């Protein structure tokens, strides 16, 4: 037989404010002595004090353990188990979340505020970590893909000096890539309409000019020199935007002075200097600046098109612009140049792989740049683009072992530093304009 010693718990007094409700502890285990109505009334108007309640909870624990040892599969017998469940239910109603608690609920926030008086959370936000990792991955891919493109693009042009055909092939690879993404539904297909195509004609034309001019420059001079000249793009942006009605503060104009000085010093001291290479890089800057200007003005009504889809559409239109002109400019020399390149490289497959890599990574690095621009601010993108040029210049100098004079390196550093100052100055001016509007 199951026997319980309840001498210490023969009488438990439940109190709340001025009311006292005596309950016989033995009656808790005998539903015949304490009916349901009496139990609800007594506990509804009361809350058990901490010391006395602890005795009741110890009693419940002992009863539960003994009931298990005597073979009750569901704990206590049904009558006793029902009484215990009612007590637990009523204790939760009387604001005791975990059984019976000796500390009022109102003290918990107070204890938290006393532990951290500044009111600042010491727990790290997991969302910041989830955003930082993909952004770092996009930046890493952007830099790596740009380096690979510049290396294999220059290798192909050294063997096959026909930049018009190579630039057309790179746009062709990008167009096929985007068509595959759209057909496989890996990328949502943009809504193509006549106004959208008309708005794209201008940006696509200037993108074509910028791309082919850069390829011509790469074919004539060292990759590092082309990138130093292309770092002067902010100066062109300020000048042409001013002609079109935009205004810039004095610090922005001052920031372009070291860009011009550094590019001039690098051009004068460049070992592989060539006027066609210089003009190609300068015209490329003009083309990309006008592409950005016309994109802002003509595509502002099509903000639902994301950056990747926009670049894909521009690539397709640029291919239609460029390839017919490429056939006219250098198409008659392609066959002879192909045989010469095969003899120089030895294996045709090597040339094919280089050409394919230049096309694939040209599209991939542009795709990564557009994805990065969707996720970060224009200032962060400008700083990242400036650092990208530094990484590309250093990488190509190491790969192709181009001789670099001290004054040439100094001019390159001044130009790139000026680009960084320009990004800081433009960001500060935009903040001031936004504050005035607010």
């Amino acid at each position: 037989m199951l026997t319980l010693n309840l001498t210490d718990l023969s009488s438990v007094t439940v109190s709340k404010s001025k009311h006292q409700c005596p309950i016989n502890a033995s009656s808790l285990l005998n539903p015949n002595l304490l009916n349901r109505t009496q139990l609800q009334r007594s506990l509804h108007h009361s809350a058990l004090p901490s010391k006395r309640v602890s005795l009741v909870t110890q009693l419940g624990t002992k009863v539960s353990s003994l009931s298990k040892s005597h073979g009750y599969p569901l704990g206590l017998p049904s009558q006793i188990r029902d009484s215990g469940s009612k007590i637990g239910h009523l204790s939760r109603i009387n604001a005791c979340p975990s059984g019976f608690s000796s500390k009022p609920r109102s003290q918990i926030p107070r204890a938290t505020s006393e532990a951290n008086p500044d009111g600042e959370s010491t727990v790290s936000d997991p969302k910041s970590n989830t955003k930082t990792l993909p952004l770092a991955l996009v930046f890493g891919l952007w830099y790596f893909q740009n380096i690979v493109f510049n290396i294999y693009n220059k290798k192909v042009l050294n063997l096959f000096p026909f930049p018009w055909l190579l630039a057309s092939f790179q746009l062709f690879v990008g167009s096929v890539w985007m068509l595959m993404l759209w057909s496989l539904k890996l990328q949502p297909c943009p809504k193509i309409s006549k106004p959208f195509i008309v708005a794209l004609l201008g940006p696509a034309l200037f993108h074509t000019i910028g791309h082919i001019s850069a390829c011509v420059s790469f074919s004539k001079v060292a990759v590092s020199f082309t990138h130093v000249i292309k770092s002067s793009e902010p100066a062109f942006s300020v000048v042409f935007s001013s002609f079109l009605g935009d205004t810039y503060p004095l610090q922005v104009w001052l920031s372009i002075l070291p860009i011009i000085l550094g590019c001039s010093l690098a051009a004068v001291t460049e070992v592989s200097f060539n006027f066609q290479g210089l003009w190609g890089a300068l015209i490329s800057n003009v083309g990309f600046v006008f592409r950005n200007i016309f994109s802002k003005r003509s595509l502002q009504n099509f903000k639902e098109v994301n950056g990747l889809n926009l670049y894909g559409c521009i690539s397709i239109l640029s291919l239609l612009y460029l390839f017919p002109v490429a056939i006219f400019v250098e198409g008659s020399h392609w066959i002879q140049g192909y045989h010469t390149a095969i003899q120089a490289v030895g294996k045709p497959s090597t040339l094919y792989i280089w050409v394919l890599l230049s096309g694939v990574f040209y599209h991939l690095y542009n795709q990564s740049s557009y994805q990065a621009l969707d996720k970060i601010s224009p200032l962060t993108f400008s700083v990242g683009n400036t650092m990208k040029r530094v990484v590309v210049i250093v990488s190509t100098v190491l790969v192709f072992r181009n001789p670099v004079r001290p004054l040439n390196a100094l001019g390159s550093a001044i130009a790139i530093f000026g680009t960084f100052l320009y990004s800081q100055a433009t960001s500060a001016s935009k903040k001031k304009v936004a504050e005035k509007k607010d």
Side-chain angles (χ1 to χ4, degrees), residues 2 91 113 116 129 251 274 306 340 380 387:
L2 174 63
S91 66
S113 62
N116 191 1
N129 297 330
Q251 60 267 26
N274 180 282
N306 60 20
T340 304
T380 306
M387 297 306 299

Side-chain angles (χ1 to χ4, degrees), residues 59-338:
L59 172 63
T61 304
K62 293 178 180 180
V63 174
S64 177
S65 60
L66 290 173
S67 64
K68 292 179 182 179
S69 63
H70 284 268
Y72 295 105
L74 298 177
L76 294 173
S78 59
Q79 294 177 342
I80 301 177
R81 186 173 64 250
D82 293 341
S83 301
S85 62
K86 293 173 184 176
I87 297 174
H89 174 70
L90 292 174
S91 66
R92 288 193 294 269
I93 294 176
N94 284 276
C96 297
S98 300
F100 296 102
S101 175
S102 61
K103 185 180 291 187
R105 188 178 289 182
S106 60
Q107 294 180 3
I108 297 176
R110 181 179 177 182
T112 305
S113 62
E114 291 175 355
N116 191 1
D118 297 334
E120 297 178 356
S121 176
T122 58
V123 181
S124 60
D125 187 6
K127 294 183 179 179
S128 61
N129 297 330
T130 58
K131 292 180 180 180
T132 303
L133 183 60
L135 186 59
L137 182 61
V138 169
F139 263 87
L141 289 175
W142 181 22
Y143 285 21
F144 172 75
Q145 291 160 356
N146 203 317
I147 293 172
V148 174
F149 159 72
N150 281 278
I151 291 174
Y152 284 99
N153 186 66
K154 184 61 177 177
K155 284 187 174 183
V156 173
L157 290 173
N158 288 339
L159 293 174
F160 187 75
F162 298 98
W164 290 79
L165 178 59
L166 184 60
S168 300
F169 178 78
Q170 290 165 355
L171 292 174
F172 172 75
V173 171
S175 302
V176 173
W177 184 283
M178 292 305 303
L179 291 174
M180 289 178 59
L181 292 181
W182 291 332
S183 61
L184 296 176
K185 296 183 180 181
L186 298 176
Q187 176 71 16
C189 184
K191 295 180 180 179
I192 305 299
S193 60
K194 185 177 179 180
F196 179 65
I197 295 176
V198 172
L200 278 177
L201 292 178
L205 175 61
F206 288 110
H207 177 79
T208 306
I209 295 173
H211 178 47
I212 183 56
S213 300
C215 282
V216 171
S217 179
F218 286 136
S219 67
K220 300 298 181 181
V221 294
V223 176
S224 58
F225 178 70
T226 301
H227 278 281
V228 171
I229 302 302
K230 284 179 66 64
S231 66
S232 64
E233 183 178 324
F236 288 86
S237 178
V238 172
V239 172
F240 287 113
S241 297
S242 299
F243 283 133
L244 295 175
D246 295 338
T247 57
Y248 293 93
L250 179 61
Q251 60 267 26
V252 175
W253 286 99
L254 293 176
S255 67
I256 68 175
L257 294 179
I259 298 176
I260 298 174
L261 176 62
C263 290
S264 301
L265 182 60
V268 171
T269 58
E270 175 62 33
V271 176
S272 62
F273 179 80
N274 180 282
F275 275 106
Q276 290 182 344
L278 175 63
W279 282 107
L282 294 175
I283 294 173
S284 177
N285 286 339
V286 175
F288 286 128
V289 165
F290 275 103
R291 180 199 65 180
N292 297 335
I293 293 174
F294 276 84
S295 295
K296 292 179 181 178
R297 299 194 175 191
S298 62
L299 296 173
Q300 60 181 356
N301 295 327
F302 303 95
K303 295 181 180 180
E304 69 277 2
V305 181
N306 60 20
L308 181 56
N309 284 339
L310 179 61
Y311 177 70
C313 296
I314 289 177
S315 297
I316 295 173
L317 287 178
S318 297
L319 176 62
L320 299 178
Y321 278 133
L322 182 60
F323 188 64
V325 182
I327 297 175
F328 175 77
V329 172
E330 59 184 21
S332 59
H333 304 286
W334 288 344
I335 297 177
Q336 182 180 357
Y338 169 77

